[in-house]
Amino acid sequence: FDTRWHLPTWANYVCSTLVSSSVASITTLALAAHYFHSVPLLGAVTNLLVLPAMPIVMGVVSLCLLTAGSGMGLGLLGRCFDALCSYVDSVARWVATLPMSHIGSLDVTTTAVWLYFAALILIVWWLRSRRGWLLVATGAVLAAMAMHSAWIDWCPPPRGLGVVNDYSSTPGVQVAGD
């Protein structure tokens, strides 16, 4: 952030955590939807609660690796690592229970992911150069995304047999259209 604001250290930490978490979430939004079929909406909140513990986690992990590599038992270090992992897991689980923590049951195609990243690149390019044609190109990519989505929604698969894999079961054959 701009140093002319003279924010207190804690406020600068909160602002920078929220901004960096939001940028990371926006950047990976399409990939999360494509691979995990859901999009986390409160990732920045989770990061705000978990990131202060990460330097401690990294230090404990480093010490665990050193002691394990030397043949020593983990003992107290192992219990510290387990406690830190338990904290991170419990925070993530708690945030996941909050209303509107994520949007699930998404089905995003690979083409939509490529179009999303093309739009992001064009937006960032426009922000750096302020050239009007980049806005037109971004609009064209967004229109292509909308048309692709509409085509997927309006064109049902042909009737017949097809092999499916819904990430929750073993691939199999199912009758499409029924």
Side-chain angles (χ1 to χ4, degrees):
F1 285 99
D2 190 353
T3 55
R4 291 175 288 173
W5 288 3
H6 300 292
L7 292 174
T9 304
W10 67 268
N12 192 24
Y13 170 78
V14 169
C15 290
S16 62
T17 299
L18 291 175
V19 168
S20 61
S21 296
S22 299
V23 168
S25 295
I26 290 168
T27 304
T28 59
L29 182 85
L31 290 173
H34 180 69
Y35 287 108
F36 303 114
H37 303 288
S38 72
V39 174
L41 300 177
L42 297 179
V45 173
T46 305
N47 285 343
L48 198 59
L49 298 172
V50 168
L51 285 179
M54 283 302 119
I56 299 167
V57 169
M58 291 297 138
V60 169
V61 166
S62 298
L63 290 173
C64 285
L65 289 173
L66 288 173
T67 57
S70 66
M72 298 170 51
L74 294 179
L76 180 61
L77 281 175
R79 288 192 293 279
C80 288
F81 179 69
D82 287 342
L84 290 167
C85 288
S86 177
Y87 167 73
V88 170
D89 184 58
S90 64
V91 167
R93 289 180 187 273
W94 174 73
V95 171
T97 64
L98 296 175
M100 298 299 295
S101 65
H102 70 282
I103 298 172
S105 301
L106 298 173
D107 189 21
V108 176
T109 65
T110 304
T111 304
V113 172
W114 281 102
L115 290 170
Y116 179 81
F117 280 109
L120 278 182
I121 289 167
L122 289 169
I123 289 169
V124 170
W125 192 3
W126 175 78
L127 287 171
R128 294 185 54 86
S129 68
R130 303 289 185 187
R131 294 189 177 136
W133 69 270
L134 288 169
L135 282 180
V136 173
T138 303
V141 169
L142 292 175
M145 285 175 69
M147 288 188 295
H148 174 72
S149 177
W151 179 71
I152 295 292
D153 291 341
W154 293 335
C155 298
R159 295 183 60 82
L161 293 177
V163 177
V164 297
N165 184 359
D166 64 1
Y167 296 101
S168 63
S169 64
T170 304
V173 177
Q174 121 182 4
V175 176
D178 287 337

